C-alpha cells in the first residue's frame, strides 16, 4: 500500500477467508527517499493530462516501473525479515500509487505494474481494484470499509455504532451500525495539506507528532476558507483527489499557525462530513498517520465530546493504525479471488455490490502459447497426474509412477532452487485457458556443475509441439540472463520423442551416461545460441 501521503510503502500480512475470519500478521513500513518522493509529486503533475485510464506518458511509464520495483523490494524485505518463503503467500494485494482520481469522469489511475510485481516476487498478485467500481457507477473510493466491517467485532458491541476514521493524505470514514449496516465516504483533507505546507516552509516531509502545529494557533479566516468549500456544504458525497484542496499561500499564516490551522481543518472536516452518516457514532476509531499528530487528535477528542462520543486511537484497541490500509488490501485481494464484493452502494455509491481487481500470475518465461510459473500449494496433484502411469513416467526420475509424497518433495526442491537463484523446474500452463501442460525449467546439477534443461508434457498434450516451444523459449531466457554460460540436457536412450526435441533445439550430442542407474543421451548447448 502506498497512499496519498506518498511517504512510503506499507506491507502487512493477513490470514483470512475474506469474510469474518481475520488473523493479523506482521507489518513493515519502507519509507521513500526525498528524491523519489519528488518524482512521485512530478508524476501527479504529469498525470493531469491523462483522459483515458490506460494512458501513460513516457515519464509516468518510467515512474510506474520504478515504483513497482520498489514494491517488489519491499515485499522481499518483509519476507526476509519474517522468515517467510514466497510460496507460503497465496496472494499479494497491490494498491499502487494513485496519481489521478476524477470520480465525476469515472477516471481513476493507480500506477503499478501487477505483472512485473508478480514476476519479481514469484507471487500471485491482485491489483487495480478500484476501476470496476467506477465502471458500475461508483466513486472508486473508499475500498477499506468492508475490512473495517470485518474487524469491527473486535471492539465490542457496546461501542456501536462506530466510525473508523482513516487519516491519510485524504481522510475517509466508515460507519458500522449496531445492525451491521455500512456507510462510507471520503471526509476531506487529512495529512496532505499539512505535509505540503510544512515541506514548503521547512523542507521536512511532515510535522512529526504535530510538534509544529502545537506551537501555533488556529487562524479562523483560513480555516473557514477550507470548511466552506462546496465539498462540505453539498449534500452529495464524492471521493476526493489529492489535488482537490490546495495548501495555503505563503503569507496566509506563519509556519506554526498554518500547521495548527490545517490540523484543525483535518479534524473539523471529519465532523463536518460525519453529519451525512446514518447515525451519530458513539465511538471514533482513528487510524492512519494522522493519529500520530497530537494537534489533530486533541481537536478530534474535543469535537467528539460535544457529541457525547469518544475518540480512540486504533493502537489502543490492539489494531495497528499504520498497518490497517495495507491489511485491507490483503483482505480485498482474497475477496477478489473469491469474486466477493469489494464495494457497496453505501460505500462508494456503486449501483449494486460488485467485486473487482485484475488477477496476475507470476510469469517466469512466456512463449507464443505457454506460460511458465511457480508451483502453488496443492499442485502436487498435477505432478502426480503428469507421471501417474508407467507410460508417462518410464523416462523420468526413477522410471516409476510418482506418489503424492514424492511429487511434493520434488516441488519443494524445485521451489527452494527457484526462490534462491531464480532457476528451477516450474509449472507449465497454456496461455489461452490456463490449463496444466506439464513442467519445465532448469536445475543445477552438482555432479556435473552445470545447469540442466528439463521438461515433461502431459500425455493429453503430446504431439502439439509444446516441448519444442518451451525448450526454445527457455534457451533464449537462459542466455538473456547468462550469455556466457552453457547448459546440458539429457533424455533416456529409448525416448525417441525427447531426443528429437533436443536435436531440434540445436543442442550438440555428447555422450551416453548412466543417470540413476539408467542410460541417457547427453546434450550440450552452444554458448549464446
Amino acid at each position: 500500500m502506498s497512499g496519498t501521503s506518498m511517504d512510503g510503502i506499507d506491507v502487512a500480512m493477513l490470514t483470512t477467508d475474506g469474510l469474518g475470519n481475520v488473523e493479523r500478521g506482521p507489518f513493515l513500513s519502507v519509507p521513500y527517499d526525498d528524491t523519489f518522493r519528488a518524482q512521485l509529486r512530478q508524476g501527479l503533475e504529469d498525470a493531469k493530462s491523462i483522459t483515458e485510464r490506460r494512458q501513460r506518458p513516457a515519464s509516468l511509464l518510467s515512474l510506474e516501473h520504478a515504483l513497482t520495483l520498489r514494491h517488489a523490494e519491499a515485499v522481499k524485505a518483509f519476507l526476509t525479515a519474517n522468515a517467510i518463503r514466497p510460496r507460503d503467500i497465496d496472494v499479494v494485494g497491490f494498491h499502487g500509487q494513485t496519481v489521478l482520481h476524477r470520480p465525476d469522469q469515472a477516471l481513476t489511475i493507480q500506477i503499478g505494474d501487477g505483472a512485473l510485481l508478480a514476476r519479481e516476487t514469484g507471487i500471485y498478485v491482485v491489483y487495480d481494484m478500484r476501476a470496476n467500481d467506477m465502471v458500475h457507477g461508483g466513486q472508486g473510493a473508499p475500498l477499506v470499509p468492508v475490512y473495517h466491517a470485518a474487524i469491527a467485532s473486535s471492539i465490542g458491541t457496546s461501542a456501536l455504532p462506530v466510525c473508523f476514521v482513516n487519516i491519510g493524505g485524504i481522510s475517509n470514514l466508515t460507519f458500522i451500525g449496531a445492525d451491521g449496516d455500512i456507510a462510507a465516504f471520503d471526509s476531506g483533507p487529512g495529512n496532505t495539506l499539512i505535509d505540503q505546507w510544512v515541506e514548503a516552509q521547512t523542507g521536512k516531509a511532515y510535522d512529526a507528532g504535530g510538534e509544529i502545529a502545537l506551537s501555533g494557533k488556529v487562524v479562523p479566516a483560513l480555516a473557514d476558507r477550507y470548511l466552506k468549500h462546496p465539498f462540505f456544504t453539498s449534500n452529495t458525497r464524492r471521493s476526493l483527489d489529492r489535488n482537490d484542496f490546495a495548501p495555503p499561500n505563503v503569507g496566509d499564516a506563519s509556519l506554526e499557525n498554518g500547521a495548527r490551522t490545517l490540523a484543525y481543518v483535518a479534524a473539523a472536516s471529519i465532523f463536518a462530513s460525519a453529519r451525512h452518516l446514518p447515525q451519530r457514532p458513539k465511538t471514533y476509531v482513528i487510524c492512519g498517520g494522522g493519529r500520530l499528530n497530537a494537534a489533530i487528535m486533541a481537536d478530534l477528542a474535543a469535537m467528539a465530546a460535544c457529541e457525547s462520543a469518544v475518540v480512540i486511537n486504533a493502537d489502543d484497541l490492539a489494531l495497528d493504525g499504520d498497518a490497517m490500509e495495507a491489511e485491507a488490501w490483503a483482505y480485498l485481494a482474497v475477496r477478489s479471488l473469491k469474486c466477493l464484493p469489494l464495494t457497496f452502494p453505501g460505500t462508494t455509491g456503486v449501483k449494486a455490490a460488485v467485486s473487482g481487481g485484475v488477477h496476475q500470475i507470476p510469469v517466469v518465461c512466456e512463449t507464443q502459447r505457454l506460460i511458465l510459473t511457480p508451483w502453488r500449494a496443492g499442485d502436487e496433484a498435477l505432478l502426480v497426474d503428469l507421471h501417474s502411469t508407467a507410460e508417462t513416467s518410464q523416462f523420468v526420475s526413477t522410471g516409476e509412477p510418482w506418489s503424492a509424497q514424492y511429487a511434493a518433495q520434488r516441488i519443494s526442491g524445485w521451489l527452494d532452487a527457484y526462490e534462491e537463484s531464480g532457476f528451477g523446474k516450474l509449472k507449465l500452463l497454456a496461455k489461452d485457458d490456463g490449463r496444466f501442460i506439464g513442467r519445465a525449467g532448469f536445475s543445477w546439477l552438482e555432479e556435473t556443475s552445470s545447469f540442466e534443461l528439463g521438461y515433461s508434457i502431459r500425455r493429453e498434450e503430446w504431439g502439439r509441439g509444446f516441448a519444442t516451444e518451451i525448450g526454445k523459449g527457455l534457451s533464449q531466457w537462459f542466455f538473456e540472463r547468462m550469455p556466457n554460460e552453457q547448459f546440458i540436457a539429457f533424455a533416456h536412450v529409448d525416448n525417441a520423442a525427447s531426443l528429437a526435441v533436443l536435436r531440434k533445439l540445436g543442442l550438440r550430442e555428447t555422450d551416453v551416461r548412466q543417470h540413476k542407474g539408467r542410460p541417457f543421451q547427453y546434450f550440450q548447448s552452444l554458448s549464446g545460441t
Side-chain angles (χ1 to χ4, degrees):
M1 178 73 201
S2 180
T4 51
S5 293
M6 301 191 303
D7 51 1
I9 300 167
D10 293 337
V11 186
M13 189 173 77
L14 284 186
T15 301
T16 182
D17 59 359
L19 298 169
N21 295 324
V22 176
E23 180 182 338
R24 297 171 48 248
F27 169 73
L28 175 70
S29 184
V30 180
Y32 291 138
D33 56 77
D34 291 343
T35 299
F36 191 69
R37 289 182 68 248
Q39 292 173 6
L40 288 175
R41 287 196 298 271
Q42 182 59 48
L44 298 180
E45 294 299 315
D46 296 341
K48 289 179 179 179
S49 64
I50 293 177
T51 58
E52 197 279 318
R53 63 185 310 271
R54 296 298 179 188
Q55 285 180 299
R56 294 292 188 274
S59 59
L60 207 59
L61 194 62
S62 174
L63 180 63
E64 182 171 52
H65 185 82
L67 176 91
T68 305
L69 292 180
R70 284 175 180 259
H71 276 73
E73 290 304 314
V75 170
K76 293 173 185 177
F78 174 87
L79 296 179
T80 299
N82 294 286
I84 300 169
R85 303 172 301 182
R87 76 191 77 169
D88 297 326
I89 303 297
D90 294 309
V91 62
V92 169
F94 181 27
H95 178 272
Q97 182 70 55
T98 298
V99 293
L100 187 70
H101 188 69
R102 295 175 181 164
D104 297 337
Q105 301 172 23
L107 180 62
T108 186
I109 297 174
Q110 290 73 45
I111 58 171
D113 186 338
L116 177 60
L117 183 64
R119 183 167 69 248
E120 289 292 317
T121 60
I123 305 172
Y124 201 103
V125 170
V126 175
Y127 68 109
D128 199 14
M129 286 189 254
R130 296 188 187 275
N132 195 49
D133 176 79
M134 281 192 159
V135 169
H136 290 85
Q139 293 271 309
L143 265 66
V144 178
V146 69
Y147 179 61
H148 286 155
I151 61 175
S153 61
S154 66
I155 67 172
T157 57
S158 62
L160 300 176
V162 62
C163 181
F164 285 85
V165 182
N166 178 63
I167 309 177
I170 299 295
S171 295
N172 51 68
L173 311 180
T174 299
F175 171 89
I176 311 293
D179 55 0
D181 283 352
I182 306 176
F185 41 77
D186 285 353
S187 62
N191 300 315
T192 194
L193 293 179
I194 305 170
D195 294 347
Q196 289 173 313
W197 173 256
V198 169
E199 186 166 21
Q201 301 289 319
T202 70
K204 297 178 180 178
Y206 60 97
D207 181 9
E211 186 174 331
I212 296 172
L214 289 174
S215 62
K217 296 181 179 179
V218 175
V219 179
L222 181 59
D224 286 346
R225 196 168 83 197
Y226 284 105
L227 295 172
K228 289 180 179 178
H229 188 283
F231 174 79
F232 299 112
T233 58
S234 171
N235 287 323
T236 301
R237 295 296 83 204
R238 60 181 292 272
S239 58
L240 293 169
D241 181 72
R242 176 187 169 95
N243 295 313
D244 283 335
F245 292 88
N249 297 314
V250 174
D252 283 348
S254 67
L255 166 65
E256 295 80 5
N257 289 351
R260 183 67 187 87
T261 302
L262 295 173
Y264 173 83
V265 168
S269 65
I270 289 166
F271 284 90
S273 293
R275 69 185 178 87
H276 297 282
L277 296 174
Q279 295 175 261
R280 284 190 176 185
K282 292 172 61 176
T283 310
Y284 290 86
V285 178
I286 315 301
C287 321
R291 79 192 193 288
L292 304 177
N293 186 309
I296 294 177
M297 291 298 284
D299 284 339
L300 285 173
M303 294 174 190
C306 293
E307 299 183 355
S308 300
V310 296
V311 168
I312 304 176
N313 188 319
D315 299 344
D316 295 334
L317 296 172
L319 300 171
D320 190 329
D322 287 325
M324 196 171 295
E325 279 205 287
E327 291 171 355
W329 242 253
Y331 184 79
L332 290 167
V334 173
R335 288 184 67 86
S336 178
L337 290 180
K338 295 185 173 186
C339 298
L340 295 171
L342 307 187
T343 56
F344 306 83
T347 63
T348 65
V350 68
K351 295 176 182 176
V354 293
S355 191
V358 177
H359 300 179
Q360 179 64 55
I361 66 171
V363 177
V364 177
C365 179
E366 184 176 6
T367 66
Q368 182 178 357
R369 298 181 295 169
L370 301 170
I371 290 173
L372 196 65
T373 185
W375 302 97
R376 303 184 74 191
D379 280 345
E380 57 270 14
L382 298 176
L383 207 51
V384 169
D385 179 65
L386 178 66
H387 299 307
S388 61
T389 66
E391 182 184 19
T392 57
S393 63
Q394 62 179 320
F395 297 133
V396 297
S397 189
T398 62
E400 299 293 330
W402 289 21
S403 67
Q405 181 180 9
Y406 183 70
Q409 290 173 353
R410 296 303 298 271
I411 286 177
S412 179
W414 292 333
L415 284 176
D416 284 344
Y418 174 69
E419 291 173 359
E420 180 178 347
S421 67
F423 290 88
K425 301 284 178 63
L426 303 177
K427 181 170 57 175
L428 193 61
L429 303 177
K431 187 184 292 187
D432 58 356
D433 60 7
R435 71 185 185 279
F436 179 63
I437 299 296
R439 61 178 174 89
F442 287 94
S443 294
W444 175 256
L445 299 181
E446 291 290 348
E447 60 267 29
T448 59
S449 297
S450 58
F451 287 99
E452 175 256 325
L453 170 67
Y455 55 84
S456 287
I457 306 298
R458 289 184 68 212
R459 175 69 180 84
E460 293 82 354
E461 306 291 350
W462 288 358
R464 303 188 61 189
F466 287 142
T468 301
E469 182 174 330
I470 193 59
K472 289 180 178 178
L474 279 169
S475 296
Q476 180 179 350
W477 180 87
F478 180 89
F479 289 122
E480 285 174 353
R481 285 153 183 76
M482 308 182 72
N484 299 317
E485 296 292 331
Q486 293 179 296
F487 62 83
I488 66 170
F490 51 87
H492 192 279
V493 294
D494 296 331
N495 189 348
S498 286
L499 292 172
V501 168
L502 295 178
R503 289 167 183 147
K504 284 182 183 179
L505 296 180
L507 306 183
R508 179 173 58 86
E509 295 184 45
T510 56
D511 55 351
V512 175
R513 306 178 204 169
Q514 294 292 310
H515 180 68
K516 296 185 178 180
R518 297 187 296 151
F520 285 81
Q521 174 66 55
Y522 276 69
F523 293 76
Q524 179 76 52
S525 71
L526 302 177
S527 293
T529 61

